[in-house]
Amino acid sequence: MISSSIKEFLDVLASKEPAPGGGAASALVGAVGTVLLSMVANLTVGKQKYKESEPLMKELLEEAAKLQKDLVKLMEEDTEAFNKVAAAFKMPKNTEEEKAKRKEKVQEALKGAANVPFQIMEKAVEALRLHEKSLGHANPSTISDTGVGALCLKTALCGAWLNVKINLGSIDDEDFVREYNEKTQQLLNEGVPLADKVYEAVLESL
Amino acid sequence: MISSSIKEFLDVLASKEPAPGGGAASALVGAVGTVLLSMVANLTVGKQKYKESEPLMKELLEEAAKLQKDLVKLMEEDTEAFNKVAAAFKMPKNTEEEKAKRKEKVQEALKGAANVPFQIMEKAVEALRLHEKSLGHANPSTISDTGVGALCLKTALCGAWLNVKINLGSIDDEDFVREYNEKTQQLLNEGVPLADKVYEAVLESL
């Protein structure tokens, strides 16, 4: 997917193929929000004026590169996880044994399909923490890019959450559902105000 | 840009090249939010169960395809508009005449660089209106895609706004600045609550 052109990706997303869908889209938007941090750091390093920011910016560049790679991988994994759910639903259900086997595989696949967007949420929050760290230390001409980055990561966080939630709705394992509801709530509790804080700080400085 | 791979686009966005930047990123995220509407409509049409929604979905598909094309074009235009500003700043300023000519070209280019993200805002609001129209009529299995679409379009709207605003800050023509401040405020006043409304409706149904 990552090697397909933007045009091809948009066309397949628009199509009646159910995957890639909102989960992969959330990961892509998260990757965009992450690389905007790299751009901000790249436009700050190597300039005499921001010499004091150099160590921080280099650290941010390293962290952002890792997150970019992770989010792009999750974009592919979300589509694979969805396809596993679809394949499990297509399993035969003629006998009691087949029905039980099918149900087991569907439940297993649904857990995978909830876990991938959960990981997208984690990565989005990590990238938001990096954007926050950059505030006040980066080349001021890149401030709007920081703002767009924070917006993208909030969308990735909340968009991925919708995809966790829609899968949790069909999962029977109550402990799993409880655990993921708690963990996603923690990420939302940290990430949403963090994104808003960065965006507001950008707005105030414009 | 549209024919480059997603990997290439992310890498050039991350680089120290100041364009593409947050403006082009906003347009891309807007295009993603728009094609998610197409996906929702494509997964609704042709199904007996949603036959009553068919005419609406076909109308939405047509409108979304236009907006997708526009937003992809604006993605390219934002980079071109930025490059024009950069080129104008590089004009000679040795004589009074050169200084005046340079100032004129910089101001002209800045107006172009404010106008492109303004158009992204307009398209994002148009796409949000379409998502709202789809609520309650689309295949319910696509509801999370509608939610992610609304989030993406809010990011496109607010992200493009930051890019209008950063350019307005350097424009001397007070009438132009007033006009764009008013027009962007109208788009934000309509688009932000609309995106929140669609997202909340999705959340409630999950």
Side-chain angles (χ1 to χ4, degrees):
Chain A
M1 205 183 319
I2 186 68
S3 60
S4 65
S5 75
I6 292 174
K7 190 188 177 308
E8 283 162 359
F9 175 74
L10 291 174
D11 287 344
V12 69
L13 192 60
S15 76
K16 68 173 195 287
E17 289 301 318
S26 300
L28 172 62
V29 175
V32 169
T34 303
V35 299
L36 284 169
L37 177 80
S38 304
M39 181 189 172
V40 166
N42 274 320
L43 283 161
T44 306
V45 295
K47 291 193 168 135
Q48 192 55 34
K49 213 170 159 188
Y50 313 115
K51 220 186 158 188
E52 282 186 13
S53 304
E54 192 106 2
L56 172 65
M57 291 299 143
K58 284 186 174 166
E59 185 198 317
L60 296 179
L61 275 172
E62 212 170 296
E63 296 294 321
K66 274 187 234 162
L67 289 173
Q68 176 185 346
K69 220 172 144 184
D70 292 339
L71 283 160
V72 159
K73 205 170 151 224
L74 288 164
M75 200 177 143
E76 310 270 1
E77 285 178 6
D78 192 75
T79 303
E80 287 162 24
F82 179 90
N83 289 338
K84 274 189 192 163
V85 175
F89 271 115
K90 278 181 195 152
M91 284 170 71
K93 46 177 179 174
N94 302 314
T95 65
E96 287 309 311
E97 208 187 335
E98 280 179 353
K99 275 184 197 164
K101 188 76 196 157
R102 177 178 175 272
K103 196 184 167 187
E104 189 196 322
K105 287 285 168 192
V106 165
Q107 287 295 315
E108 199 183 290
L110 283 169
K111 285 182 180 179
N115 183 259
V116 175
F118 171 71
Q119 289 183 63
I120 298 171
M121 293 178 74
E122 285 186 312
K123 301 299 167 188
V125 173
E126 284 179 44
L128 280 167
R129 288 189 201 123
L130 302 181
H131 269 293
E132 189 197 21
K133 272 195 187 172
S134 81
L135 283 179
H137 300 287
N139 180 341
S141 76
T142 63
I143 190 71
S144 58
D145 302 304
T146 297
V148 179
L151 290 165
C152 286
L153 289 159
K154 185 177 171 183
T155 282
L157 173 64
C158 298
W161 182 48
L162 296 179
N163 283 274
V164 176
K165 217 166 143 65
I166 201 168
N167 286 299
L168 290 184
S170 308
I171 292 173
D172 297 334
D173 180 345
E174 285 177 19
D175 290 338
F176 183 95
V177 172
R178 194 179 312 110
E179 187 195 333
Y180 274 75
N181 269 327
E182 279 171 20
K183 292 197 294 187
T184 52
Q185 202 51 57
Q186 281 166 13
L187 290 169
L188 291 166
N189 288 348
E190 178 184 351
V192 172
L194 191 53
D196 291 343
K197 182 188 161 185
V198 175
Y199 179 70
E200 292 300 329
V202 169
L203 258 189
E204 270 172 38
S205 75
L206 279 178
Chain B
M1 203 182 322
I2 187 69
S3 59
S4 65
S5 75
I6 291 174
K7 189 187 179 308
E8 283 163 357
F9 175 75
L10 291 174
D11 286 343
V12 69
L13 192 59
S15 77
K16 68 174 196 288
E17 290 299 319
S26 300
L28 173 62
V29 175
V32 170
T34 302
V35 299
L36 283 169
L37 177 81
S38 304
M39 181 190 172
V40 167
N42 273 320
L43 283 162
T44 306
V45 294
K47 290 190 170 138
Q48 191 57 33
K49 212 171 159 187
Y50 313 116
K51 219 185 158 190
E52 281 187 15
S53 303
E54 192 106 2
L56 171 64
M57 291 298 144
K58 286 189 172 166
E59 184 198 315
L60 295 179
L61 275 172
E62 210 171 297
E63 295 293 320
K66 274 187 233 162
L67 289 173
Q68 175 184 347
K69 219 171 146 186
D70 291 340
L71 283 160
V72 160
K73 203 170 153 224
L74 288 164
M75 200 178 144
E76 310 269 0
E77 285 178 3
D78 191 74
T79 303
E80 286 162 25
F82 179 90
N83 290 338
K84 275 189 191 162
V85 175
F89 271 115
K90 278 182 194 151
M91 283 171 72
K93 46 177 178 175
N94 301 313
T95 65
E96 286 309 311
E97 209 187 334
E98 280 179 357
K99 276 183 197 165
K101 187 75 197 157
R102 178 177 174 273
K103 196 185 166 186
E104 190 196 320
K105 286 286 166 191
V106 165
Q107 287 295 314
E108 200 181 290
L110 283 169
K111 285 183 180 179
N115 182 259
V116 175
F118 170 72
Q119 288 182 64
I120 298 171
M121 293 178 73
E122 286 185 313
K123 300 299 166 188
V125 173
E126 283 179 46
L128 280 166
R129 287 190 203 123
L130 302 182
H131 270 293
E132 191 198 23
K133 270 194 190 176
S134 80
L135 283 178
H137 301 286
N139 180 340
S141 76
T142 64
I143 189 72
S144 58
D145 302 304
T146 296
V148 179
L151 289 165
C152 286
L153 289 160
K154 185 178 172 183
T155 282
L157 173 63
C158 297
W161 182 48
L162 295 179
N163 283 275
V164 176
K165 217 166 143 65
I166 201 168
N167 286 300
L168 290 183
S170 308
I171 292 172
D172 296 334
D173 180 343
E174 285 176 19
D175 289 339
F176 183 95
V177 172
R178 193 178 313 111
E179 188 195 332
Y180 275 75
N181 269 326
E182 280 172 17
K183 290 197 294 187
T184 51
Q185 203 51 57
Q186 281 166 12
L187 289 170
L188 292 166
N189 288 349
E190 179 183 351
V192 172
L194 191 53
D196 291 343
K197 181 187 160 185
V198 175
Y199 179 69
E200 292 300 327
V202 170
L203 259 190
E204 271 172 39
S205 74
L206 280 178

